[in-house]
Amino acid sequence: MHLAYPAVLAVLLFCTGLYGVLARRNAILVLMSVELMLNAVNLNLVAFDVWLRDALHAGQALTLFTIAIAAAEIGIGLAIVLMVYRNRGTADIDRLRDNAEHPGPDQPGPDQDRGPGQDPGPDQGTGPVGGAPDAPGADQAAHEQTGKKAEATP
């Protein structure tokens, strides 16, 4: 068998995987495309090992290492994709990038003013009522309320 047949097949597999990595937007499909590229490398390693008639079969040994690395990569990558999907609700790579760069509608950006009820600035105090400035006697009223609740429970 000629070396050209597996080499051409490996090039086609690698180019298909490269296109999948560059064109796909779903993280799962990107991981599958990376696996296709690794399989193209494995095909080349085995084909050159057979062609060179290496006594140690170094190409096949490297292929086993590549398969082990690919298994670890897909396990870790899939775990990351599942966690991102649970947290963000999507596995679309473009939407994840957009969410990281732009604040959401409920989060003010650096150029937006903070409204009443949002985090206080450095010059405002925090009181017992969710970010309201401290009023005179507010701490005493809060302690009296908690003391009355503690007395009511047996």
Side-chain angles (χ1 to χ4, degrees), residues 65-131:
F65 283 117
T66 307
I67 290 171
I69 290 171
E73 174 258 335
I74 200 68
I76 292 172
L78 194 57
I80 291 171
V81 168
L82 286 175
M83 283 304 298
V84 167
Y85 182 77
R86 283 184 187 170
N87 289 335
R88 302 279 179 106
T90 184
D92 187 14
I93 295 173
D94 286 339
R95 291 189 61 202
L96 293 177
R97 189 177 313 135
D98 290 342
N99 285 343
E101 292 174 359
H102 304 293
D106 59 339
Q107 299 173 348
D111 57 345
Q112 295 176 346
D113 290 334
R114 297 173 192 258
Q118 293 182 353
D119 293 332
D123 57 339
Q124 294 178 347
T126 57
V129 184

Side-chain angles (χ1 to χ4, degrees), residues 142-152:
H143 290 298
E144 288 175 5
Q145 288 178 356
T146 56
K148 290 178 184 176
K149 289 180 186 175
E151 291 174 2

Side-chain angles (χ1 to χ4, degrees), residues 28-94:
I28 301 289
L29 294 176
V30 170
L31 287 174
M32 288 174 59
S33 298
V34 169
E35 290 295 321
L36 229 103
M37 292 166 49
L38 287 172
N39 284 331
V41 170
N42 287 340
L43 183 61
N44 266 336
L45 285 171
V46 171
F48 277 97
D49 182 55
V50 169
W51 185 64
L52 292 173
R53 294 186 177 98
D54 186 20
L56 297 175
H57 298 291
Q60 293 178 17
L62 285 175
T63 299
L64 289 176
F65 283 117
T66 307
I67 290 171
I69 290 171
E73 174 258 335
I74 200 68
I76 292 172
L78 194 57
I80 291 171
V81 168
L82 286 175
M83 283 304 298
V84 167
Y85 182 77
R86 283 184 187 170
N87 289 335
R88 302 279 179 106
T90 184
D92 187 14
I93 295 173
D94 286 339

